[in-house]
Amino acid sequence: MMDGFLITSLVVLSLAILGCLYRLIKGPSMNDRIIALDTIGILLLSMIAVLCMLFRTQVYFDIILLIGILTFIGTTALARYIERGDVIERDEPNR
Amino acid sequence: MNAMSQIGEFLIGLIVLLGSVLGALSAFGLIRLPDVYLRSHAATKSATLGVLLILAGAFLYFTFYLDHVSAKLLLGIVFVFITAPVAGHLNGRAAYRSGVSLWEKSVADDLKPALKQERERKQAQEKAEG
């Protein structure tokens, strides 16, 4: 019964990722694409958590943390790039 | 004891299913809503809640059924809970400052006069400094 719930939620999550993919491809502005990428990362993270429960293993927990960190850093870097034109601010002494 | 453990499995499965349905709702909002800002409202909040529910379900399952209290899962819950709203906020600010237009039926834009005031003040300051 537990496995039935888990497989159903895997199907629902992959449909949600397909919906985000539509917005990622079509999105009118660049920020729409960033939001869609962020949501895809978060949904992927939860899919991996469901897989951990389905296989009764603990080896994928590291991947959960890794995808969370990579999603956050990617979203932050892309948003800063769109807002200011560069990711890391340099010191400019003649300003 | 056996019935108790079956009820517990049912509840954890229900929590996980609820979390995935919330994720699907956020994707639905991402498709249907008309504007970057409204879309970020859908994507940030409900996707975060869905992930929190799924990770909490996984934590409960591993704690009670596999006898493994996982600190990594707790760390993942805390990390997603902190960073997802920050990422949404940064993205909304970048969208506004790079000039993505609002929906034409939006009724209020409080940031526009504030930004204009700040720009005028900065210009006056630069003029006063020479």
Side-chain angles (χ1 to χ4, degrees):
Chain A
M1 185 176 63
M2 181 84 182
D3 286 1
F5 273 124
L6 294 183
I7 290 172
T8 314
S9 62
L10 274 183
V11 171
V12 173
L13 282 174
S14 33
L15 287 181
I17 287 183
L18 274 184
C20 291
L21 212 58
Y22 167 78
R23 183 52 72 195
L24 181 67
I25 293 170
K26 182 151 180 286
S29 74
M30 216 58 204
N31 292 93
D32 288 305
R33 299 197 169 101
I34 297 176
I35 290 175
L37 261 185
D38 190 40
T39 314
I40 283 179
I42 284 182
L43 292 175
L44 208 62
L45 191 151
S46 48
M47 270 181 93
I48 290 176
V50 177
L51 276 182
C52 278
M53 293 162 74
L54 196 61
F55 294 151
R56 273 113 180 135
T57 175
Q58 314 155 10
V59 294
Y60 298 145
F61 286 170
D62 295 328
I63 303 178
I64 292 177
L65 279 178
L66 201 66
I67 288 183
I69 293 168
L70 280 182
T71 305
F72 175 62
I73 291 177
T75 309
T76 313
L78 282 172
R80 279 183 79 96
Y81 178 68
I82 282 181
E83 188 177 345
R84 312 196 178 161
D86 57 353
V87 178
I88 301 171
E89 286 185 21
R90 292 175 295 258
D91 285 336
E92 295 182 18
N94 337 328
R95 240 169 105 188
Chain B
M1 196 56 208
N2 199 11
M4 278 296 286
S5 86
Q6 275 201 351
I7 290 174
E9 272 198 350
F10 182 78
L11 286 181
I12 289 173
L14 218 58
I15 287 176
V16 172
L17 195 63
L18 186 66
S20 62
V21 167
L22 275 172
L25 276 182
S26 85
F28 190 71
L30 211 57
I31 294 174
R32 285 289 295 167
L33 287 175
D35 190 359
V36 183
Y37 310 102
L38 298 176
R39 270 176 219 141
S40 86
H41 153 85
T44 312
K45 282 187 245 182
S46 59
T48 309
L49 185 59
V51 169
L52 286 188
L53 279 179
I54 289 179
L55 288 183
F59 179 74
L60 288 177
Y61 185 71
F62 275 89
T63 303
F64 289 124
Y65 289 91
L66 302 181
D67 290 331
H68 176 254
V69 182
S70 167
K72 278 178 201 161
L73 270 182
L74 279 184
L75 198 63
I77 291 175
V78 172
F79 192 78
V80 170
F81 191 64
I82 291 175
T83 58
V86 175
H89 173 83
L90 273 178
N91 196 13
R93 200 176 77 166
Y96 195 91
R97 298 219 170 179
S98 64
V100 179
S101 60
L102 270 70
W103 190 30
E104 67 260 23
K105 288 184 189 167
S106 301
V107 291
D109 187 0
D110 286 339
L111 192 53
K112 197 173 179 181
L115 272 184
K116 197 178 165 193
Q117 208 175 9
E118 188 190 317
R119 203 174 298 134
E120 280 170 357
R121 203 178 54 211
K122 203 171 280 180
Q123 275 177 1
Q125 208 176 17
E126 278 175 5
K127 208 171 281 178
E129 283 174 358

